[in-house]
Amino acid sequence: MSIIILGIESSCDDTSAAVVKDRVVLSNVIANQDIHKAYGGVVPELASRAHQQNIIPVVAQALSIAKVQKSDINGIAFARGPGLLGSLLVGTSFAKGFALSYNIPLIEVNHLQAHILTHFIKENSGYNNHPRFPFLCLLASGGHTQLVIVSDYLKMEMIGQTIDDAAGEAFDKCGKIIGLPYPGGPLIDKFAKQGNKNAFSFTKPKISDLNFSFSGLKTAFLYFIRDNIKKNTNFIEQNKYDICASVQCTIIDILIDKLIKAAEKTRIKEIAVAGGVSANSHLRDALLSEAKKRNWNIFIPALEYTTDNAAMIAITGYFKYLKKEFTGQDVTPVAKLMIE
Ligand code: KG4
Ligand code: ZN
C-alpha cells in the first residue's frame, strides 16, 4: 500500500506544504514572505501573521498540484522546531487540527533532521542515488552550521557546530553591511560570479576542534568596509563584485576546511551537504573538486530542497510513519531543538 504524507513547514519566514507519496514528491509549494526585505531581517511578529494568512492557500495548492484529496492522506508531518516560536505555532496548530479532523497520525519533525533527509527524496519513481549509511553531512543554513554523522534515517550525531553565528547568518550580515536586502546570501553568490575572490583577504578563525565561528569575520568585514569608505565613499559600488567574491570565498573556505577535518577524523568518504547555504555555487564547486581529490562520494541536494521547504518535512514524516513514531495532541513547538 502506498503511503501519502502531507508535510508542513513554518519554522522561519517560508510557509510551505508538500505531498510525498512513498518518497516521491508530488508537490512542494513555498510562499516566501517578502515583507521582511524592508527590515533587513526576519521580523518574528510579521512572520507569524504571514504564516497565518498563507497556510490554508498553500496547503490547498499543494493538494491540488498533487491531485490528492484530503481523505487520501495517511499522516500529517510538521516542523516542531527549531525556529521562531510564533511561526512554529501556526504550522503546529494547523497540523493538529488536520490530524484531528481526518483522524490520521500526527508526526512531529525536527527541522534540522529534515534538511539532512532531503537526500532521500526521490525525484521520480525510478532509481535515484542516495547516500549510504553512515555518511557525514555539513548542514549550513541561516540558523545553524553543524557537522553530523548520519547512521540511519532517524539516527544522527552532531560532531561539530558553530559557537556563534551560522554560515547563512554571516552571508546575510555581510550583505546587510554592504547594503544588500535580506537575505544577502543569494545576492552575494550572484555578484561573486563577476568578482575576483583573491581581491581582498579576511582572517579565518582558529578553532581547534570541529566547531565553527563566523562572528569574528563579520566584525572584521564591518571594519574593512568602514575603513575603506573613509578613504573612498564609492568603495562599495566600485568594488561590489570583488567584495562579494572575497567574503564568500572566506566563508566557504571555513566550511570546507572543517568538513575535510571531520571526514579525515571519522574516515567517512560518503559526504553530503544540506541547508540554505548548500545552494551556494562556490560551495557546490568546491565540494566537487574536493570530492575528486579525496575520493569522496558527494551528495548535493537539488536547489529547490536546499532552503526551507515542506518536502523535507514530509519525507522525514514518511520515515517516522514507517516506524510508527507518532505524536500526541498535547505537543507544543520548541524554539531550540537539537539534532539528537
Ligand atoms: O535553510 P534555510 O532556508 O533556513 C534556515 O533553516 O535557516 O537557509 C537560509 C539561509 C539564509 O541565510 C540565506 O542567505 C542562505 O541560506 N542562502 C545562501 C544561498 N541561498 C540561500 N547563502 C549563500 N549562497 C546562496 N546561494
Ligand atoms: Zn532551515
Side-chain angles (χ1 to χ4, degrees):
M1 192 195 84
S2 283
I3 293 164
I4 300 178
I5 304 288
L6 173 63
I8 306 291
E9 159 60 36
S10 73
S11 63
C12 191
D13 59 338
D14 295 306
T15 319
S16 180
V19 179
V20 164
K21 182 179 181 184
D22 297 335
R23 283 170 56 180
V24 178
V25 177
L26 300 184
S27 63
N28 184 33
V29 176
I30 304 169
N32 304 116
Q33 301 179 0
D34 281 342
I35 191 159
H36 306 289
K37 279 204 170 106
Y39 297 90
V42 177
V43 184
E45 171 75 20
L46 297 178
S48 358
R49 286 171 194 232
H51 283 305
Q52 194 71 264
Q53 277 176 343
N54 293 341
I55 189 96
I56 300 283
V58 162
V59 170
Q61 204 184 341
L63 294 174
S64 142
I65 293 171
K67 297 192 174 59
V68 157
Q69 303 297 317
K70 293 190 190 92
S71 53
D72 297 334
I73 294 167
N74 299 101
I76 179 158
F78 67 98
R80 185 183 178 202
L84 301 169
L85 202 66
S87 291
L88 291 164
L89 270 168
V90 178
T92 306
S93 306
F94 175 87
K96 282 190 190 189
F98 195 96
L100 211 54
S101 317
Y102 291 93
N103 195 24
I104 54 169
L106 178 65
I107 308 165
E108 65 173 81
V109 166
N110 180 318
H111 176 93
L112 303 177
Q113 209 167 39
H115 267 301
I116 295 174
L117 293 180
T118 50
H119 286 287
F120 297 95
I121 286 173
K122 278 190 176 179
E123 287 299 333
N124 50 55
S125 45
Y127 175 76
N128 278 250
N129 196 19
H130 307 293
R132 281 168 306 167
F133 301 119
F135 67 91
L136 179 64
C137 187
L138 167 67
L139 169 59
S141 68
H144 297 85
T145 300
Q146 305 187 335
L147 285 161
V148 180
I149 297 177
V150 186
S151 42
D152 206 339
Y153 296 114
L154 303 170
K155 214 168 151 206
M156 304 185 183
E157 183 197 356
M158 190 186 68
I159 56 167
Q161 65 175 325
T162 181
I163 57 168
D164 41 55
D165 294 349
E169 203 177 347
F171 269 107
D172 299 339
K173 285 182 175 168
C174 291
K176 194 172 177 181
I177 291 167
I178 57 168
L180 301 180
Y182 176 85
L187 285 170
I188 290 181
D189 189 358
K190 183 177 160 198
F191 296 145
K193 290 197 172 88
Q194 297 176 61
N196 171 9
K197 66 180 168 44
N198 300 314
F200 307 109
S201 70
F202 302 100
T203 317
K204 286 188 245 163
K206 290 184 181 61
I207 312 275
S208 58
D209 49 21
L210 294 177
N211 289 335
F212 302 87
S213 168
F214 291 98
S215 74
L217 171 65
K218 172 196 64 191
T219 312
F221 185 76
L222 177 69
Y223 292 158
F224 163 80
I225 295 292
R226 196 191 57 185
D227 293 348
N228 276 289
I229 287 179
K230 270 189 206 152
K231 290 182 239 158
N232 169 11
T233 47
N234 295 321
F235 178 74
I236 295 176
E237 294 82 87
Q238 287 167 1
N239 297 280
K240 186 166 80 176
Y241 300 136
D242 287 349
I243 294 170
C244 288
S246 303
V247 76
Q248 168 174 280
C249 184
T250 311
I251 295 172
I252 300 306
D253 275 356
I254 296 170
L255 292 173
I256 295 278
D257 286 353
K258 284 293 158 95
L259 180 61
I260 292 171
K261 211 169 171 186
E264 283 170 354
K265 195 169 173 191
T266 58
R267 298 191 183 171
I268 296 176
K269 285 184 178 288
E270 201 84 350
I271 310 285
V273 276
V277 178
S278 69
N280 184 268
S281 50
H282 183 62
L283 174 64
R284 294 164 91 95
D285 290 345
L287 281 168
L288 291 172
S289 90
E290 289 303 328
K292 247 190 209 155
K293 258 192 267 172
R294 297 169 196 279
N295 225 355
W296 287 349
N297 224 352
I298 191 91
F299 297 88
I300 301 176
L303 276 180
E304 61 182 308
Y305 303 129
T306 53
T307 44
D308 290 348
N309 66 87
M312 69 185 198
I313 305 297
I315 189 79
T316 309
Y318 169 80
F319 291 120
K320 290 191 119 180
Y321 184 96
L322 293 182
K323 295 195 122 198
K324 294 199 168 37
E325 284 190 25
F326 303 144
T327 312
Q329 279 285 335
D330 55 348
V331 65
T332 53
V334 182
K336 288 194 186 339
L337 196 61
M338 301 292 282
I339 209 144
E340 285 104 329

